[in-house]
Amino acid sequence: MRFYTRFVRAKKGMSTIFGALFFVILILMGFNLMLWNFAQFDAYNRVITTMGLSDQQRSAEVLTFNPPGIMNTGSPFNFTVNNIGGVTSTIARIYVQNLAPLNVGSPCQGATGCIADPNGITTFNNPNIKNGESFHVVKVTGIAIDNSGYRIVVATTRGNQFSFYFPWPSNLGGGSNSNSTNTAHGALDVKFDLNSFNFTRGTQTIPQQGWTVPYSTNVIWWVKVVNNAVNPIVLSKYTSLYFVCYQDRFGAGAGTGTCTETDLTYVVDNRTMNPGTIYQYDDVNRPYILPAAGPNGPTGTTTVKFGSFCPGLQTFDSNGNCVSGSPSPPQDVDFPTPYLVFMGFFYKVNGVIVGQTISFVAIRACATYPSCP
Amino acid sequence: MRKIGILGWAETRARRNHRSRKAISTIMANLTMLVIVVSLSSLLFVWSISSFGAYTGGAGYWFSSRSIANQERPSVEGVFFSKTGSTNNVVTVFVRNVGAVPFTVASVYLNSTLYNIVLPQVGVSQVQQVQLTLSGQLWVKGDLQTITVATLRGTTTQTTWVP
């Protein structure tokens, strides 16, 4: 009773107690918030660390393949792979796509190509490749592969893709295993031999060597080119031959009026046989496609024809300007004199537009053709 | 002898009351201060509670959503380019989930053109096939095609392919 009485009379100290309690609650709440924040941030950092480690392992994956890529055609086929990365890799899927656009009937074309999956009918074995392992053989069952062009993409469980081409390209531009001489250093090349530069005139359908030609006569030039790159080449409509009568253009006779011309001759469609009927070059719907190189070098030669005064689907108007329309205007060389021929090739390879000049040949246009002493 | 009676007591009381009014301002001031302090403390308390709640709510959502989004790893592991008739207008994309949580592909961009996709969730280590029928553009043999895959949580991955 006495204690109660004293407590009731001691009201003067209550505000201090309540104030203290109030601030203690506030401090505890702040502390609690801080702890909660730490816990959340710690959990977040743990995720970041885990995923960072995963990404690190992903970037440490490096697989390479060995020539000839696929060891045998048909089904099943094998290829070998080396793991030169820092972690063991597991192949999740193998995608095979046929790249040869004109190779109708070959396997692995269409919307889904061919897919080898561990759980599918088309499957493969030996998916685990230890780091440092070389010539690890993977056998793919269910896809009959042939010698047309394929891209094989090997996808790993960590989300990396490694690919190779079959047939295996033996050189990546500039190289050659041919007996003829290279004239260029880029993907596109002209093998210089007796039959690499020809022409037709009049109604000719069989070309003849173009080292000497008649002057002031419409001609179609036939040039054999090859593709050293591992990707197909698509020629642009601006591909052209540039004729310079060098004797007087660059020499002592420059400006004397004997020969002051240059001739630009654009690419024409490959249906063109002679200047009698020139088909305009449509690089969208009917382009020249130079097939990708194979394991033994370029895949054959492609004859590219030139003979138009204007590029692409153009003709010239009454003022001599190139305007849209047809027919394709012919081209010639106007003077009986030697010409240097520069070949300006514009093409698309692996999605990139490339310009390449091949300083290729010299020709002589003469008044006494076919006898040109 | 002092008179004690009801009138005397009332007279005395009234005289004392009259004298004690001199201290009323102190009491009123104390009361006023007490009211102010209590009300402000209450306001501070309520504000701090709601602020802490709002902070923990917002930050908690951020932490949890970013944690989950950070575990997403879409990977475009295969792309096939095909035709409808003679038109180069079909692109098939294979997206694998190499992350730690499932995700949903929300959209696919081909050369910066958006294709909205409605697809089921892609489980961890699973592959989803996405087929695009191009409109307003066609794929071109040999041209570089840039494919970007975006998930519902905002994770994107960009790859380039050559048909």
mmCIF file of all heavy atoms in Angstrom, chain B residues 16-47:
data_model
loop_
_atom_site.group_PDB
_atom_site.id
_atom_site.type_symbol
_atom_site.label_atom_id
_atom_site.label_comp_id
_atom_site.label_asym_id
_atom_site.label_seq_id
_atom_site.Cartn_x
_atom_site.Cartn_y
_atom_site.Cartn_z
ATOM 1 N N ARG B 16 -8.454 32.326 -0.437
ATOM 2 C CA ARG B 16 -7.270 31.550 -0.870
ATOM 3 C C ARG B 16 -7.277 31.307 -2.394
ATOM 4 O O ARG B 16 -6.256 31.407 -3.055
ATOM 5 C CB ARG B 16 -7.256 30.199 -0.164
ATOM 6 C CG ARG B 16 -6.776 30.308 1.274
ATOM 7 C CD ARG B 16 -6.759 28.929 1.925
ATOM 8 N NE ARG B 16 -6.347 29.023 3.299
ATOM 9 C CZ ARG B 16 -6.415 28.021 4.170
ATOM 10 N NH1 ARG B 16 -6.905 26.855 3.784
ATOM 11 N NH2 ARG B 16 -6.026 28.169 5.424
ATOM 12 N N ASN B 17 -8.447 30.957 -2.896
ATOM 13 C CA ASN B 17 -8.538 30.710 -4.355
ATOM 14 C C ASN B 17 -8.145 31.945 -5.153
ATOM 15 O O ASN B 17 -7.487 31.857 -6.199
ATOM 16 C CB ASN B 17 -9.945 30.294 -4.747
ATOM 17 C CG ASN B 17 -10.205 28.831 -4.395
ATOM 18 O OD1 ASN B 17 -9.271 28.116 -4.043
ATOM 19 N ND2 ASN B 17 -11.457 28.430 -4.455
ATOM 20 N N HIS B 18 -8.587 33.007 -4.677
ATOM 21 C CA HIS B 18 -8.260 34.252 -5.357
ATOM 22 C C HIS B 18 -6.740 34.468 -5.397
ATOM 23 O O HIS B 18 -6.172 34.843 -6.409
ATOM 24 C CB HIS B 18 -8.963 35.405 -4.635
ATOM 25 C CG HIS B 18 -8.625 36.746 -5.213
ATOM 26 N ND1 HIS B 18 -9.088 37.165 -6.435
ATOM 27 C CD2 HIS B 18 -7.868 37.748 -4.729
ATOM 28 C CE1 HIS B 18 -8.624 38.370 -6.692
ATOM 29 N NE2 HIS B 18 -7.859 38.746 -5.644
ATOM 30 N N ARG B 19 -6.117 34.146 -4.273
ATOM 31 C CA ARG B 19 -4.667 34.318 -4.212
ATOM 32 C C ARG B 19 -3.925 33.305 -5.101
ATOM 33 O O ARG B 19 -2.928 33.616 -5.708
ATOM 34 C CB ARG B 19 -4.208 34.164 -2.754
ATOM 35 C CG ARG B 19 -4.358 35.456 -1.953
ATOM 36 C CD ARG B 19 -3.404 35.436 -0.754
ATOM 37 N NE ARG B 19 -3.716 34.394 0.181
ATOM 38 C CZ ARG B 19 -4.460 34.559 1.272
ATOM 39 N NH1 ARG B 19 -4.982 35.724 1.531
ATOM 40 N NH2 ARG B 19 -4.699 33.555 2.080
ATOM 41 N N SER B 20 -4.439 32.007 -5.221
ATOM 42 C CA SER B 20 -3.706 30.947 -5.946
ATOM 43 C C SER B 20 -3.757 31.125 -7.481
ATOM 44 O O SER B 20 -3.093 30.441 -8.205
ATOM 45 C CB SER B 20 -4.260 29.576 -5.588
ATOM 46 O OG SER B 20 -5.543 29.441 -6.124
ATOM 47 N N ARG B 21 -4.557 31.975 -8.016
ATOM 48 C CA ARG B 21 -4.626 32.172 -9.480
ATOM 49 C C ARG B 21 -3.318 32.703 -10.046
ATOM 50 O O ARG B 21 -3.078 32.661 -11.235
ATOM 51 C CB ARG B 21 -5.749 33.148 -9.809
ATOM 52 C CG ARG B 21 -7.111 32.514 -9.824
ATOM 53 C CD ARG B 21 -8.137 33.428 -10.468
ATOM 54 N NE ARG B 21 -9.467 33.035 -10.054
ATOM 55 C CZ ARG B 21 -10.269 33.773 -9.323
ATOM 56 N NH1 ARG B 21 -9.865 34.955 -8.929
ATOM 57 N NH2 ARG B 21 -11.467 33.366 -8.986
ATOM 58 N N LYS B 22 -2.490 33.169 -9.171
ATOM 59 C CA LYS B 22 -1.215 33.692 -9.657
ATOM 60 C C LYS B 22 -0.377 32.616 -10.345
ATOM 61 O O LYS B 22 0.446 32.901 -11.204
ATOM 62 C CB LYS B 22 -0.433 34.279 -8.486
ATOM 63 C CG LYS B 22 -0.975 35.579 -7.967
ATOM 64 C CD LYS B 22 -0.159 36.089 -6.806
ATOM 65 C CE LYS B 22 -0.758 37.391 -6.264
ATOM 66 N NZ LYS B 22 -0.112 37.820 -5.014
ATOM 67 N N ALA B 23 -0.528 31.303 -10.101
ATOM 68 C CA ALA B 23 0.312 30.219 -10.662
ATOM 69 C C ALA B 23 -0.329 29.502 -11.836
ATOM 70 O O ALA B 23 0.234 28.551 -12.374
ATOM 71 C CB ALA B 23 0.621 29.212 -9.562
ATOM 72 N N ILE B 24 -1.465 29.936 -12.249
ATOM 73 C CA ILE B 24 -2.195 29.189 -13.287
ATOM 74 C C ILE B 24 -1.456 29.206 -14.628
ATOM 75 O O ILE B 24 -1.511 28.268 -15.414
ATOM 76 C CB ILE B 24 -3.634 29.753 -13.431
ATOM 77 C CG1 ILE B 24 -4.544 28.696 -14.075
ATOM 78 C CG2 ILE B 24 -3.661 31.007 -14.279
ATOM 79 C CD1 ILE B 24 -4.921 27.637 -13.147
ATOM 80 N N SER B 25 -0.761 30.274 -14.903
ATOM 81 C CA SER B 25 -0.052 30.350 -16.192
ATOM 82 C C SER B 25 1.031 29.280 -16.290
ATOM 83 O O SER B 25 1.262 28.693 -17.353
ATOM 84 C CB SER B 25 0.570 31.733 -16.357
ATOM 85 O OG SER B 25 1.460 31.959 -15.299
ATOM 86 N N THR B 26 1.699 28.991 -15.203
ATOM 87 C CA THR B 26 2.727 27.941 -15.202
ATOM 88 C C THR B 26 2.113 26.585 -15.522
ATOM 89 O O THR B 26 2.648 25.804 -16.344
ATOM 90 C CB THR B 26 3.393 27.880 -13.808
ATOM 91 O OG1 THR B 26 3.778 29.192 -13.437
ATOM 92 C CG2 THR B 26 4.572 26.932 -13.829
ATOM 93 N N ILE B 27 0.989 26.316 -14.886
ATOM 94 C CA ILE B 27 0.309 25.033 -15.128
ATOM 95 C C ILE B 27 -0.131 24.940 -16.591
ATOM 96 O O ILE B 27 0.075 23.932 -17.266
ATOM 97 C CB ILE B 27 -0.894 24.895 -14.181
ATOM 98 C CG1 ILE B 27 -0.393 24.788 -12.736
ATOM 99 C CG2 ILE B 27 -1.715 23.669 -14.526
ATOM 100 C CD1 ILE B 27 -1.486 24.946 -11.706
ATOM 101 N N MET B 28 -0.715 26.036 -17.061
ATOM 102 C CA MET B 28 -1.175 26.024 -18.460
ATOM 103 C C MET B 28 -0.008 25.836 -19.444
ATOM 104 O O MET B 28 -0.095 25.116 -20.433
ATOM 105 C CB MET B 28 -1.894 27.339 -18.789
ATOM 106 C CG MET B 28 -3.244 27.484 -18.125
ATOM 107 S SD MET B 28 -4.355 26.126 -18.502
ATOM 108 C CE MET B 28 -4.669 26.414 -20.196
ATOM 109 N N ALA B 29 1.077 26.489 -19.100
ATOM 110 C CA ALA B 29 2.261 26.336 -19.975
ATOM 111 C C ALA B 29 2.754 24.911 -19.967
ATOM 112 O O ALA B 29 3.072 24.328 -21.023
ATOM 113 C CB ALA B 29 3.361 27.286 -19.502
ATOM 114 N N ASN B 30 2.813 24.333 -18.791
ATOM 115 C CA ASN B 30 3.248 22.933 -18.710
ATOM 116 C C ASN B 30 2.325 22.026 -19.491
ATOM 117 O O ASN B 30 2.760 21.122 -20.224
ATOM 118 C CB ASN B 30 3.301 22.489 -17.240
ATOM 119 C CG ASN B 30 4.559 23.002 -16.570
ATOM 120 O OD1 ASN B 30 5.541 23.295 -17.234
ATOM 121 N ND2 ASN B 30 4.516 23.160 -15.258
ATOM 122 N N LEU B 31 1.017 22.282 -19.290
ATOM 123 C CA LEU B 31 0.030 21.449 -20.013
ATOM 124 C C LEU B 31 0.192 21.596 -21.524
ATOM 125 O O LEU B 31 0.164 20.623 -22.277
ATOM 126 C CB LEU B 31 -1.385 21.848 -19.596
ATOM 127 C CG LEU B 31 -1.892 21.248 -18.273
ATOM 128 C CD1 LEU B 31 -3.247 21.824 -17.911
ATOM 129 C CD2 LEU B 31 -1.992 19.721 -18.418
ATOM 130 N N THR B 32 0.355 22.831 -21.930
ATOM 131 C CA THR B 32 0.508 23.086 -23.369
ATOM 132 C C THR B 32 1.743 22.363 -23.926
ATOM 133 O O THR B 32 1.700 21.702 -24.970
ATOM 134 C CB THR B 32 0.635 24.595 -23.644
ATOM 135 O OG1 THR B 32 -0.432 25.255 -23.013
ATOM 136 C CG2 THR B 32 0.612 24.877 -25.139
ATOM 137 N N MET B 33 2.836 22.504 -23.199
ATOM 138 C CA MET B 33 4.063 21.837 -23.641
ATOM 139 C C MET B 33 3.897 20.324 -23.680
ATOM 140 O O MET B 33 4.377 19.635 -24.590
ATOM 141 C CB MET B 33 5.237 22.200 -22.717
ATOM 142 C CG MET B 33 5.741 23.613 -22.910
ATOM 143 S SD MET B 33 6.147 23.985 -24.616
ATOM 144 C CE MET B 33 7.490 22.875 -24.878
ATOM 145 N N LEU B 34 3.169 19.851 -22.659
ATOM 146 C CA LEU B 34 2.929 18.402 -22.606
ATOM 147 C C LEU B 34 2.141 17.938 -23.823
ATOM 148 O O LEU B 34 2.484 16.946 -24.490
ATOM 149 C CB LEU B 34 2.187 18.067 -21.307
ATOM 150 C CG LEU B 34 2.043 16.575 -21.006
ATOM 151 C CD1 LEU B 34 3.411 15.980 -20.752
ATOM 152 C CD2 LEU B 34 1.133 16.356 -19.813
ATOM 153 N N VAL B 35 1.103 18.695 -24.143
ATOM 154 C CA VAL B 35 0.272 18.335 -25.310
ATOM 155 C C VAL B 35 1.106 18.378 -26.594
ATOM 156 O O VAL B 35 1.047 17.481 -27.443
ATOM 157 C CB VAL B 35 -0.943 19.285 -25.406
ATOM 158 C CG1 VAL B 35 -1.638 19.138 -26.749
ATOM 159 C CG2 VAL B 35 -1.918 19.011 -24.278
ATOM 160 N N ILE B 36 1.902 19.432 -26.711
ATOM 161 C CA ILE B 36 2.730 19.564 -27.925
ATOM 162 C C ILE B 36 3.713 18.418 -28.041
ATOM 163 O O ILE B 36 3.849 17.780 -29.090
ATOM 164 C CB ILE B 36 3.458 20.919 -27.926
ATOM 165 C CG1 ILE B 36 2.452 22.053 -28.134
ATOM 166 C CG2 ILE B 36 4.544 20.962 -28.980
ATOM 167 C CD1 ILE B 36 3.030 23.422 -27.927
ATOM 168 N N VAL B 37 4.373 18.126 -26.945
ATOM 169 C CA VAL B 37 5.376 17.059 -26.976
ATOM 170 C C VAL B 37 4.735 15.711 -27.296
ATOM 171 O O VAL B 37 5.218 14.948 -28.144
ATOM 172 C CB VAL B 37 6.143 16.996 -25.636
ATOM 173 C CG1 VAL B 37 6.944 15.717 -25.520
ATOM 174 C CG2 VAL B 37 7.044 18.194 -25.504
ATOM 175 N N VAL B 38 3.610 15.447 -26.653
ATOM 176 C CA VAL B 38 2.941 14.153 -26.890
ATOM 177 C C VAL B 38 2.462 14.044 -28.332
ATOM 178 O O VAL B 38 2.654 13.029 -29.002
ATOM 179 C CB VAL B 38 1.781 13.972 -25.889
ATOM 180 C CG1 VAL B 38 0.905 12.795 -26.297
ATOM 181 C CG2 VAL B 38 2.318 13.750 -24.492
ATOM 182 N N SER B 39 1.854 15.134 -28.807
ATOM 183 C CA SER B 39 1.325 15.053 -30.178
ATOM 184 C C SER B 39 2.462 14.942 -31.197
ATOM 185 O O SER B 39 2.397 14.126 -32.134
ATOM 186 C CB SER B 39 0.448 16.265 -30.489
ATOM 187 O OG SER B 39 1.205 17.441 -30.289
ATOM 188 N N LEU B 40 3.527 15.714 -30.991
ATOM 189 C CA LEU B 40 4.648 15.621 -31.941
ATOM 190 C C LEU B 40 5.329 14.258 -31.866
ATOM 191 O O LEU B 40 5.721 13.689 -32.895
ATOM 192 C CB LEU B 40 5.670 16.732 -31.656
ATOM 193 C CG LEU B 40 5.269 18.131 -32.116
ATOM 194 C CD1 LEU B 40 6.356 19.137 -31.766
ATOM 195 C CD2 LEU B 40 5.008 18.150 -33.615
ATOM 196 N N SER B 41 5.448 13.742 -30.653
ATOM 197 C CA SER B 41 6.048 12.412 -30.513
ATOM 198 C C SER B 41 5.193 11.361 -31.214
ATOM 199 O O SER B 41 5.711 10.463 -31.890
ATOM 200 C CB SER B 41 6.185 12.044 -29.034
ATOM 201 O OG SER B 41 6.965 13.001 -28.380
ATOM 202 N N SER B 42 3.892 11.517 -31.063
ATOM 203 C CA SER B 42 3.001 10.562 -31.725
ATOM 204 C C SER B 42 3.156 10.654 -33.240
ATOM 205 O O SER B 42 3.232 9.642 -33.947
ATOM 206 C CB SER B 42 1.541 10.844 -31.350
ATOM 207 O OG SER B 42 1.410 10.819 -29.958
ATOM 208 N N LEU B 43 3.205 11.901 -33.701
ATOM 209 C CA LEU B 43 3.387 12.089 -35.148
ATOM 210 C C LEU B 43 4.699 11.468 -35.622
ATOM 211 O O LEU B 43 4.751 10.774 -36.639
ATOM 212 C CB LEU B 43 3.383 13.586 -35.491
ATOM 213 C CG LEU B 43 2.014 14.237 -35.651
ATOM 214 C CD1 LEU B 43 2.187 15.737 -35.870
ATOM 215 C CD2 LEU B 43 1.297 13.618 -36.841
ATOM 216 N N LEU B 44 5.763 11.729 -34.857
ATOM 217 C CA LEU B 44 7.070 11.182 -35.206
ATOM 218 C C LEU B 44 7.034 9.659 -35.217
ATOM 219 O O LEU B 44 7.572 8.997 -36.127
ATOM 220 C CB LEU B 44 8.126 11.683 -34.221
ATOM 221 C CG LEU B 44 9.540 11.147 -34.400
ATOM 222 C CD1 LEU B 44 10.112 11.614 -35.728
ATOM 223 C CD2 LEU B 44 10.449 11.593 -33.251
ATOM 224 N N PHE B 45 6.343 9.128 -34.232
ATOM 225 C CA PHE B 45 6.253 7.674 -34.132
ATOM 226 C C PHE B 45 5.514 7.087 -35.336
ATOM 227 O O PHE B 45 5.980 6.159 -35.997
ATOM 228 C CB PHE B 45 5.526 7.315 -32.828
ATOM 229 C CG PHE B 45 5.574 5.855 -32.507
ATOM 230 C CD1 PHE B 45 6.735 5.280 -32.011
ATOM 231 C CD2 PHE B 45 4.473 5.048 -32.723
ATOM 232 C CE1 PHE B 45 6.789 3.940 -31.727
ATOM 233 C CE2 PHE B 45 4.528 3.703 -32.447
ATOM 234 C CZ PHE B 45 5.686 3.145 -31.951
ATOM 235 N N VAL B 46 4.370 7.698 -35.625
ATOM 236 C CA VAL B 46 3.574 7.205 -36.759
ATOM 237 C C VAL B 46 4.356 7.354 -38.070
ATOM 238 O O VAL B 46 4.402 6.449 -38.906
ATOM 239 C CB VAL B 46 2.228 7.955 -36.824
ATOM 240 C CG1 VAL B 46 1.488 7.620 -38.115
ATOM 241 C CG2 VAL B 46 1.373 7.609 -35.630
ATOM 242 N N TRP B 47 5.004 8.503 -38.207
ATOM 243 C CA TRP B 47 5.760 8.747 -39.446
ATOM 244 C C TRP B 47 6.909 7.742 -39.588
ATOM 245 O O TRP B 47 7.150 7.195 -40.671
ATOM 246 C CB TRP B 47 6.318 10.169 -39.416
ATOM 247 C CG TRP B 47 7.232 10.459 -40.573
ATOM 248 C CD1 TRP B 47 6.866 10.793 -41.834
ATOM 249 C CD2 TRP B 47 8.657 10.408 -40.550
ATOM 250 N NE1 TRP B 47 7.975 10.952 -42.620
ATOM 251 C CE2 TRP B 47 9.088 10.718 -41.861
ATOM 252 C CE3 TRP B 47 9.595 10.126 -39.560
ATOM 253 C CZ2 TRP B 47 10.435 10.761 -42.194
ATOM 254 C CZ3 TRP B 47 10.928 10.171 -39.902
ATOM 255 C CH2 TRP B 47 11.346 10.477 -41.203
#
